[in-house]
Each structure stands twice: as structure tokens, then as C-alpha cells.
Amino acid sequence: MADTIKQRYISGTSLWTDPLKYGTEMFEVFDKPYADPVPLPLVNSAWPLATIIALYLLFVLKLGGQLMARHEALQLRGVLKVYNIVQVLYNTVMLIWGIHLIFVARPYNLSCMTVLPQDHPMKSTERTLSYVYHLNKVLDLMDTVFFVLRKKQRQITFLHVFHHVFMAVTTHMLIRFYGHGGHVYFICMFNVLVHIVMYGYYYASSQSRNLQESLWWKKYLTLTQLVQFLLMFLHCAYTGLQPNCNASRGVIYLICTMSAFMFVMFTNFYISTYIRPKKGRSKGKAQ
């Protein structure tokens, strides 16, 4: 991808001088072979995920609301219990597996984690773990579908939808152009840990309304996510500062930018959800 941009710069092609040619050359990057030669379902072509994302957005932003307008909200209590348990177990397995790979098998230099070569004995493990992580990001889209079916429209925020779509698309693109694993692994472990706590909370809150109201630690889920994005940013920044590290600079810049953006978005969510309402109640009591 970087080579394509460099060639375009040398040739003098730009968005302003020849927008049609520029756009055509931009898409030439998708003609490049996949970074990992092993084809896997959902990641050996962009079309399956693109179709899933398109159907997801169509349902959660339009068709789902129209459908549920004619029906009562579905409780889905049993379905959600199973779904949340599956998510907790799924993420727990990934966390244990990832910790074992990074800290026990230790195929990486932790200060500069690069994608393992194809002939490395741990390559199949790296590939499989990366792949199941991507599948989990696709599975996460069901969160929003359940919100629609339960008529929880207030929870279908821009941040929620953007985050889910971004994670599914980004993990696919990283596998497509960067390959499986590398320093992305380390930051994925932060995300997996947060999801274990998050879906554990969802499971506990689904038991009953009284229990849901008694779970005082809901707001700390958002704080945990903020810590996650901060650690992701710091890890990528640290990797990028290593003078002899050949980890992809494009991936480092992408994750640093994404982490900073998500940190700002989740901070805004935390303030608007947990701080401003409290100030409003305090003013009301004072009056």
C-alpha cells in the first residue's frame, strides 16, 4: 500500500491533477495478494464482510425499527443469557490462548512485535487466534441487533454502531494487508479482557431488573474501556519509537489514531452519561 502511494507521488498523480486516475490507482492496492496466503472464510474476500455490514446497517438503522414498530418488544432473556455466556467463554479462551502465546511460547520480541514468518512453528497458532478474534468482532454485531429487537433504541448511539462496524472492518483490513498477529495481538488482549468484564456484566444484569439496578459498577465498564484505549495508544507509540523495529508504521499510525479517537468519544460518553446527570440532580436539589 505504501509502495502504491510512493509511486503515485513520484508520477505526480494527485487528487487535484487527475482525480479519476488517482481514485483508480488508490483501488489498485486491493489487487495486491493477501498478506497471509492461507485462505480462510470471511477474510479471503472483502465481499462477505461487506455484505454483512451492509445488512447490519440496513437493519439497525432502518428496517429493524420499522419492523418492531408493529410488534411488542422481545424480551429475549434466555437468548441473551446464552449469548452473554458464549461471549464470556469465547473471550476467556482467547485471553488465555493469547497470554500463553505471548508470554509462555514467546515467539515475539515484546518491544517490537512483528508478524511471524510463514515457516515459524507458531505461525498456525498466531493465524488461528487472529482469525477467531476477527470472527468475534463480527459476532459482536449481534449486540445491536438485540437492542433493535428489544426496542432499546436509546442504546443504539452513533458511538455504539461506529465502534462495532469499525472493529469488524479494521480487523479484516489488518488481516488483508498486514497479516495475522504482530503487535496488534498485544492490544487485542486488552480488548478481550474488557469484553470478558462487559459481557459478564450483561449476563448479571439480564438476571433481573432488581439485580440490574444494584450493579453499581456499570460506569466502571466505560472507565475500563478508556484505560484500554490509553494502553493501546501507549503500546503502539512505544513500538513506533523503537529505532530498529520494522513493525508496520501504517498499522501503528492507524491504531494510535483510532485509540485517540475512541478515547475522546468514550470520554464524551462517560461525561454525558455519568457526570452531567449527577450535576443536574445536584442543582435540582439545591433549588
Side-chain angles (χ1 to χ4, degrees):
M1 189 171 185
D3 292 339
T4 302
I5 296 173
K6 183 178 180 180
Q7 290 170 3
R8 195 166 58 244
Y9 175 78
I10 294 173
S11 66
T13 304
S14 72
L15 178 62
W16 312 113
T17 59
D18 193 340
L20 181 60
K21 185 178 179 182
Y22 180 88
T24 302
E25 291 179 353
M26 279 292 291
F27 281 99
E28 286 178 359
V29 69
F30 291 98
D31 294 330
K32 296 181 65 176
Y34 277 66
D36 191 285
V38 178
L40 295 170
L42 277 185
V43 295
N44 60 348
S45 170
W47 289 110
L49 182 64
T51 302
I52 291 172
I53 295 297
L55 292 174
Y56 165 81
L57 292 174
L58 184 63
F59 180 79
V60 302
L61 298 180
K62 187 172 183 179
L63 296 184
Q66 294 176 352
L67 173 67
M68 294 310 297
R70 301 190 295 270
H71 300 279
E72 293 293 325
L74 302 179
Q75 295 302 312
L76 302 177
R77 195 175 299 277
V79 173
L80 289 175
K81 286 181 180 179
V82 173
Y83 174 73
N84 291 323
I85 290 174
V86 168
Q87 283 280 23
V88 170
L89 294 176
Y90 195 138
N91 283 276
T92 300
V93 170
M94 284 196 293
L95 180 64
I96 295 172
W97 198 357
I99 289 174
H100 181 272
L101 176 65
I102 295 171
F103 297 107
V104 179
R106 293 191 295 181
Y108 303 109
N109 173 3
L110 292 182
S111 63
C112 180
M113 297 174 65
T114 56
V115 176
L116 298 178
Q118 293 297 320
D119 59 351
H120 194 282
M122 298 301 296
K123 183 61 184 181
S124 61
T125 301
E126 179 188 59
R127 181 185 297 112
T128 304
L129 185 53
S130 174
Y131 178 61
V132 297
Y133 179 81
H134 170 64
L135 293 183
N136 186 251
K137 298 305 102 183
V138 177
L139 177 63
D140 287 350
L141 298 175
M142 289 302 299
D143 291 0
T144 325
V145 174
F146 291 139
F147 284 154
V148 173
L149 296 177
R150 296 165 64 210
K151 290 191 172 183
K152 301 287 186 179
Q153 296 299 126
R154 192 169 63 88
Q155 294 178 278
I156 307 176
T157 62
F158 168 79
L159 176 59
H160 174 90
V161 175
F162 175 83
H163 178 66
H164 279 301
V165 172
F166 182 85
M167 290 300 295
V169 172
T170 302
T171 51
H172 175 89
M173 297 296 283
L174 287 172
I175 292 172
R176 169 68 175 85
F177 295 108
Y178 178 63
H180 297 277
H183 75 277
V184 177
Y185 253 166
F186 202 70
I187 61 177
C188 287
M189 292 304 102
F190 298 143
N191 182 251
V192 166
L193 179 59
V194 168
H195 276 67
I196 293 172
V197 178
M198 184 178 73
Y199 285 107
Y201 165 80
Y202 288 158
Y203 175 79
S205 65
S206 69
Q207 298 301 300
S208 69
R209 180 172 294 275
N210 291 334
L211 182 58
Q212 183 179 26
E213 293 174 353
S214 68
L215 292 174
W216 52 269
W217 42 280
K218 179 180 179 181
K219 69 177 182 179
Y220 294 103
L221 288 176
T222 306
L223 290 176
T224 304
Q225 289 173 310
L226 289 174
V227 172
Q228 169 201 190
F229 294 127
L230 179 61
L231 291 175
M232 288 168 61
F233 180 89
L234 292 175
H235 179 264
C236 282
Y238 173 77
T239 301
L241 291 173
Q242 302 307 304
N244 299 317
C245 181
N246 62 350
S248 170
R249 288 300 185 267
V251 173
I252 290 173
Y253 299 149
L254 171 66
I255 296 176
C256 280
T257 303
M258 179 270 291
S259 301
F261 176 74
M262 288 295 182
F263 185 87
V264 171
M265 294 289 287
F266 274 80
T267 298
N268 180 65
F269 171 79
Y270 183 85
I271 292 172
S272 61
T273 304
Y274 300 112
I275 296 179
R276 286 176 184 165
K278 188 180 295 185
K279 288 183 177 180
R281 287 194 296 269
S282 299
K283 289 181 180 179
K285 289 180 180 179
Q287 293 174 354

